[in-house]
């Protein structure tokens, strides 16, 4: 499909090249002939019933066209502050039509555009465009408007004491929530568009002077190297920029809470906000941060410390309880008191399966019920998961498929996994629980210890944007433990986390010598 540009050169424009990112399209300037611009744009938006071309005349003599996407632009404001003032113009300065037109439009967000790709970008974010006869520039009018949900507390990160607001799917609302928390001009927000078709707006937020410049550069570079058709959720970006894509542990923090994001910014971390999702990403991530909850910092320090210790204990219970039960029953019965051993033996007398198979049956059933509760409508999801667990557990025990002690162990394990403040941490535990159970069924407690050793060794090798996963504990620095095993009083936490006390020189070398392509560990897509 051939189109003329400025009457000088043929351009092979929309049909083929619109398959690429708008940033890669040829910079075709707007033509001085209005009809030619309209022809190109109508051809590009063929079969797009929501794209409106409103042709009119300024001062009754100058041809112009208003272009916008119905549903993305505020049509009432366009009629009141754009069309009506331009139609009422009587005296027009023909020597500077563009400037005279801009003076008549009572909208603050005006911007000049110069090319066809600029038109695509502006109307796709809801800004109407005015093109005028014999002008090689257009006017973008900042009047976007689309439906958005109200700000409310996130269901997945609710607190008893704390703010009752959360991010939503609109990027500018999310940035404003951050600005309300941190009102200093050193809060910087770098914007970029990612995705060949979606052109999703992504913002890298950090506090200049607190966040390490190497970290900011690394995050920005990894995002710039992403080549993908579209970004529909933050999970796309998380998978593309993390250091170790095959690790079961999360390497970026996620949150829907502005207060959590603001606290991380004040610690020196970088926050990534993505348009179209309330989930924001935070880098770097450490193991200690996965077991910290927002409410830890809103209660008294001794209460928060007690709950945090409880969380650590139940982390190990959620990971190891079924495996320890299987190992003891299979290989180490002498570790149990005689009375307890006799009780368990009596309950297992009619069970046809070994302890390992029994544990697998119950764990898989419990995971299936939990997933079913998530997928079902909220009105019935909770009832099905709770009632289903009770009914199936009782029926399985009565049928002689599983023993009562095994049902109790699996139930305690499930409750322990619910204590994890971050959903991604709970998923990691659920995944790792099964290989440790297999090792315990084959080797007993030796298998459990081998599994723990393998997990700890793996976590010691993990780094999140140059920061070791066990940053606060290895090498040991006492001042970094004020917010790890305990939550120290606020007057004692007078220093920021020492994220970059470790050697991250390799990050600096990579940032300066990085060639195009994926970053270290698979980040960058």
């Amino acid at each position: 499909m051939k189109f003329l540009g400025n009457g000088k050169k043929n351009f092979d424009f929309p049909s083929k090249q619109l398959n690429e990112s708008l940033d890669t399209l040829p910079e075709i300037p707007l033509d001085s002939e209005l009809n030619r611009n309209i022809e190109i744009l109508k051809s590009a938006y063929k079969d797009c019933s929501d794209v409106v071309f409103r042709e009119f005349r300024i001062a009754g003599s100058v041809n112009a066209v208003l272009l916008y996407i119905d549903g993305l632009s505020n049509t009432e404001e366009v009629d009141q502050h754009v069309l009506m003032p331009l139609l009422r113009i009587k005296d027009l300065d023909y020597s500077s039509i563009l400037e005279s037109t801009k003076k008549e439009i009572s909208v603050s967000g005006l911007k000049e555009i110069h090319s066809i790709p600029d038109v695509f970008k502006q109307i796709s974010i809801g800004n109407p465009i005015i093109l005028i006869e014999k002008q090689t520039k257009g006017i973008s009018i900042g009047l976007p408007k689309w439906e958005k949900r109200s700000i409310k507390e996130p269901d997945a990160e609710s607190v008893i004491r704390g703010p009752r607001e959360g991010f939503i799917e609109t990027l500018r609302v999310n940035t404003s929530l951050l600005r309300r928390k941190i009102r200093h001009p050193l809060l910087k927000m770098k914007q970029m568009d990612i995705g060949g078709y979606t052109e999703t707006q992504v913002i890298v937020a950090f506090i200049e002077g607190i966040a390490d410049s190497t970290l900011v550069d690394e995050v920005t570079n990894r995002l710039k190297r992403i080549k993908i058709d579209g970004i529909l959720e933050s999970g796309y970006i998380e998978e593309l920029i993390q250091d170790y894509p095959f690790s079961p542990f999360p390497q970026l923090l996620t949150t829907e809470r502005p207060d959590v994001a603001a606290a991380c910014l004040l610690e020196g971390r970088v926050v990534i906000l993505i348009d179209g999702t309330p989930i924001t990403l935070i880098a770097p991530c450490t193991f200690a941060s996965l077991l910290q909850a927002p409410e830890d910092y809103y209660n008294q320090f001794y209460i928060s410390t007690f709950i945090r210790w409880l969380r650590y204990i139940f982390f190990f219970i959620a990971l190891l309880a079924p495996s320890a039960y299987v190992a003891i029953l299979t290989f180490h019965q002498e570790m149990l008191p005689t009375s307890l051993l006799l009780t368990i033996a009596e309950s297992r007398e009619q069970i046809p399966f070994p302890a390992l198979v029994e544990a697998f049956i119950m764990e898989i059933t419990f995971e299936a019920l939990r997933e079913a509760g998530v997928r079902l409508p909220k009105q019935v999801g909770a009832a099905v998961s709770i009632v289903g667990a009770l009914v199936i557990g009782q029926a399985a025990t009565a049928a002689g498929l599983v023993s009562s002690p095994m049902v109790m162990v699996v139930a305690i394990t499930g409750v322990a996994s619910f204590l994890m403040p971050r959903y991604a941490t709970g998923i990691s535990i659920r995944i790792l629980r099964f290989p440790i159970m297999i090792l315990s069924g084959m080797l007993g407690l030796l298998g459990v210890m081998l599994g723990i050793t393998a997990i700890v060794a793996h976590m010691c090798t993990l780094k999140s944007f140059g920061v070791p996963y066990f940053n606060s504990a290895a090498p040991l620095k006492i001042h970094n433990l004020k917010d790890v095993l305990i939550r120290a009083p606020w007057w004692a936490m007078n220093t920021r986390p020492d994220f970059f006390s470790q050697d991250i020189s390799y990050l600096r070398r990579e940032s300066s010598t990085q060639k195009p392509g994926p970053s270290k560990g698979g980040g960058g897509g």
Side-chain angles (χ1 to χ4, degrees):
M1 196 178 296
K2 302 288 185 180
F3 295 94
L4 295 179
N6 285 338
K8 299 177 182 179
K9 182 180 179 182
N10 289 338
F11 288 91
D12 185 9
F13 184 52
S15 59
K16 178 180 179 181
Q17 292 170 342
L18 277 178
N19 291 329
E20 305 171 4
S21 169
L22 295 183
D23 292 327
T24 64
L25 288 177
E27 198 68 18
I28 302 176
L30 290 170
D31 202 289
S32 58
E33 294 187 20
L34 180 62
N35 289 335
R36 189 166 294 161
N37 292 329
I38 295 175
E39 179 187 0
I40 293 175
L41 293 169
K42 283 188 174 181
S43 298
Y45 285 109
K46 183 181 179 181
D47 297 329
C48 297
S49 59
D50 57 340
V51 180
V52 178
F53 290 82
R54 171 68 165 86
E55 299 183 24
F56 64 100
R57 289 186 176 180
I58 301 174
S61 58
V62 180
N63 292 328
V65 64
L66 175 67
L67 173 65
Y68 62 91
I69 297 178
D70 191 16
L72 291 184
S73 299
N74 191 331
T75 54
E76 295 180 359
E77 295 290 327
V78 169
D79 291 341
Q80 181 178 355
H81 299 290
V82 180
L83 277 179
M84 294 304 296
L86 294 180
L87 292 173
R88 287 198 296 261
I89 294 178
K90 294 183 180 179
D91 298 324
L92 183 65
D93 185 358
Y94 290 94
S95 62
S96 57
I97 295 178
L98 201 66
E99 294 300 322
S100 300
T101 302
K102 289 166 65 176
K103 290 179 181 179
E104 295 294 330
I105 299 174
S106 55
V107 176
S108 58
L110 297 181
K111 178 182 177 182
E112 289 187 0
I113 58 174
H114 305 83
S115 65
I116 296 295
D118 288 343
V119 175
F120 293 150
K121 288 183 179 181
Q122 291 300 313
I123 67 169
S124 66
I125 61 176
N127 293 334
I129 301 293
I130 290 181
L131 304 177
I132 304 172
E133 182 68 49
K134 296 183 179 179
Q135 300 296 315
T136 58
K137 298 179 182 178
I139 303 174
S140 170
I141 307 167
L143 289 175
K145 182 183 179 181
W146 50 80
E147 295 299 323
K148 58 186 178 183
R149 66 182 177 93
S150 60
I151 297 173
K152 63 177 184 179
E153 183 178 16
D155 294 332
E157 295 181 81
S158 59
V159 295
I160 297 175
R161 178 177 181 176
R164 296 290 192 272
E165 60 184 7
F167 291 127
I168 62 173
E169 287 75 15
T170 306
L171 184 62
R172 282 305 165 197
V173 173
N174 295 343
T175 57
S176 67
L177 290 173
L178 271 185
R179 287 286 182 189
R180 284 180 57 195
K181 299 290 183 183
I182 302 175
R183 303 179 182 182
H184 202 285
L186 288 179
L187 173 59
K188 307 299 181 181
M189 296 189 180
K190 294 183 178 181
Q191 180 175 319
M192 61 188 73
D193 297 332
I194 302 177
Y197 287 93
T198 60
E199 292 286 329
T200 305
Q201 292 180 321
V202 176
I203 284 182
V204 178
F206 61 95
I207 299 181
E208 189 175 18
I210 296 181
D212 189 280
S213 59
T214 306
L215 172 64
V216 177
D217 293 341
E218 180 68 13
V219 172
T220 305
N221 290 336
R222 292 190 190 187
L223 290 173
K224 287 180 178 178
R225 291 198 297 272
I226 292 177
K227 303 298 179 185
I228 193 171
D229 284 347
I231 300 292
L232 302 179
E233 212 281 325
S234 60
Y236 288 50
I237 292 179
E238 181 179 8
E239 190 170 336
L240 289 168
I241 67 174
Q242 62 187 356
D243 292 76
Y244 301 88
F246 297 106
S247 174
F249 292 99
Q251 295 156 58
L252 287 95
L253 296 175
T254 58
T255 186
E256 294 183 57
R257 298 185 61 89
D259 56 327
V260 173
C264 290
L265 287 170
L266 293 170
E267 288 180 345
R269 304 180 199 251
V270 173
V271 174
I272 305 172
L273 301 102
I274 300 98
D275 191 27
T277 175
I279 306 295
T280 62
L281 304 176
I282 301 170
C285 169
T286 60
F287 176 72
S289 60
L290 296 177
L291 296 178
Q292 296 169 350
E295 211 164 4
D296 289 353
Y297 305 95
Y298 305 144
N299 290 318
Q300 293 290 333
F301 66 91
Y302 48 85
I303 298 175
S304 300
T305 300
F306 169 75
I307 294 175
R308 186 170 293 181
W309 269 99
L310 201 64
R311 211 174 286 141
Y312 275 101
I313 293 171
F314 275 85
F315 172 86
F316 290 104
I317 291 176
L319 181 63
L320 302 175
S323 304
Y325 180 80
V326 170
I328 291 172
L329 280 190
T330 307
F331 295 96
H332 311 285
Q333 298 91 341
E334 69 278 0
M335 295 181 63
L336 296 175
T338 303
S339 57
L340 178 59
L341 182 59
L342 290 174
T343 302
I344 295 176
E346 183 181 355
S347 67
R348 286 186 46 79
E349 187 176 0
Q350 303 298 324
I351 306 302
F353 307 114
L356 177 60
V357 176
E358 185 185 3
F360 261 90
I361 291 174
M362 286 306 300
E363 282 292 343
I364 292 174
T365 303
F366 188 85
E367 294 298 332
L369 286 170
R370 175 153 45 183
E371 191 66 18
V374 172
R375 302 302 163 206
L376 286 171
K378 290 183 178 180
Q379 293 82 353
V380 297
V384 167
S385 59
I386 295 172
V387 175
L390 292 173
V391 171
I392 291 176
Q394 180 63 34
T397 304
L401 296 177
V402 295
S403 61
S404 299
M406 178 59 75
V407 174
M408 191 173 118
V409 169
V410 171
I412 293 174
T413 303
V415 172
S417 65
F418 293 146
L419 264 70
M420 301 303 104
R422 300 188 183 276
Y423 182 68
T425 311
I427 293 179
S428 300
I429 296 173
R430 289 157 61 185
I431 292 174
L432 293 172
R433 190 184 301 152
F434 289 96
I436 298 180
M437 283 169 55
I438 295 173
L439 287 173
S440 67
M442 296 172 59
L443 302 172
L445 289 180
L446 175 62
V448 176
M449 295 307 298
L450 287 175
I452 295 174
T453 303
I455 291 173
V456 172
H458 169 69
M459 295 174 71
C460 287
T461 64
L462 287 182
K463 290 185 178 181
S464 175
F465 291 85
V467 178
Y469 221 52
F470 286 138
N471 175 71
S472 303
L476 182 63
K477 292 190 175 182
I478 301 300
H479 69 275
N480 278 347
L481 297 179
K482 294 177 182 178
D483 195 25
V484 178
L485 298 178
I486 64 170
R487 203 281 272 175
W490 278 114
W491 62 82
M493 291 198 292
N494 50 12
T495 58
R496 292 189 177 88
D498 196 4
F499 288 128
F500 295 97
S501 61
Q502 313 299 327
D503 179 17
I504 59 166
S505 57
Y506 82 90
L507 262 189
R508 293 190 171 93
R509 290 196 301 271
E510 283 191 354
S511 298
S512 61
T513 62
Q514 185 70 53
K515 297 180 180 179
S519 62
K520 184 177 186 295

